[in-house]
Amino acid sequence: MSLRNKVTLYKAVVRPIMTYASPVFAHIAPKQIHRLQVIQNRFLRRATGAPWFMRDLHVDLELPTIAQFLKSASRRYFDSAGAHPNPLIVGAVTYRPLPLNIFRRI
């Protein structure tokens, strides 16, 4: 199978499963996002046959990281819900991301 088909398979099958309901959990702890990134890296490494020492496969394959994808998916979701004709839905979707340091231990 060609590399292009493998990336398409990832985009069509694996990533939607990993990011199901991503607008809801877009503000999870960075450790959990890192775990999803590890899963993405493992899949891409196996699909491409890349050796263990190659880093940033998502850059080489022109794919966003999981954090970037979750952020853009959340923005798209909240932007489309903000343009909804129902005023209750519009009032419920004010998008205010939490600060990144909220999950750090002090």
Side-chain angles (χ1 to χ4, degrees), residues 22 24-37 66-67 70 98-105:
S22 62
V24 175
F25 65 85
H27 300 294
I28 60 175
K31 182 176 181 178
Q32 301 302 324
I33 293 175
H34 176 71
R35 286 182 180 175
L36 288 173
Q37 184 64 46
I66 291 295
L70 291 177
L98 296 172
L100 293 176
N101 61 357
I102 196 168
F103 297 109
R104 292 184 184 157
R105 293 185 184 187

Side-chain angles (χ1 to χ4, degrees), residues 9-105:
L9 181 68
Y10 167 76
K11 287 180 181 179
V13 177
V14 177
R15 187 168 63 186
I17 293 170
M18 287 175 44
T19 59
Y20 177 74
S22 62
V24 175
F25 65 85
H27 300 294
I28 60 175
K31 182 176 181 178
Q32 301 302 324
I33 293 175
H34 176 71
R35 286 182 180 175
L36 288 173
Q37 184 64 46
V38 167
I39 292 170
Q40 177 186 12
N41 290 345
R42 285 181 181 169
F43 179 85
L44 294 176
R45 189 167 312 286
R46 286 185 183 166
T48 59
W52 64 270
F53 54 84
M54 285 188 65
R55 300 288 182 223
D56 298 331
L57 285 175
H58 60 274
V59 174
D60 295 336
L61 298 174
E62 298 174 357
L63 292 171
T65 62
I66 291 295
Q68 293 168 342
F69 182 79
L70 291 177
K71 191 171 195 173
S72 67
S74 292
R75 281 203 180 122
R76 283 192 313 267
Y77 174 78
F78 286 111
D79 288 345
S80 66
H84 198 274
N86 187 340
L88 296 174
I89 294 176
V90 173
V93 294
T94 55
Y95 179 67
R96 292 188 187 112
L98 296 172
L100 293 176
N101 61 357
I102 196 168
F103 297 109
R104 292 184 184 157
R105 293 185 184 187

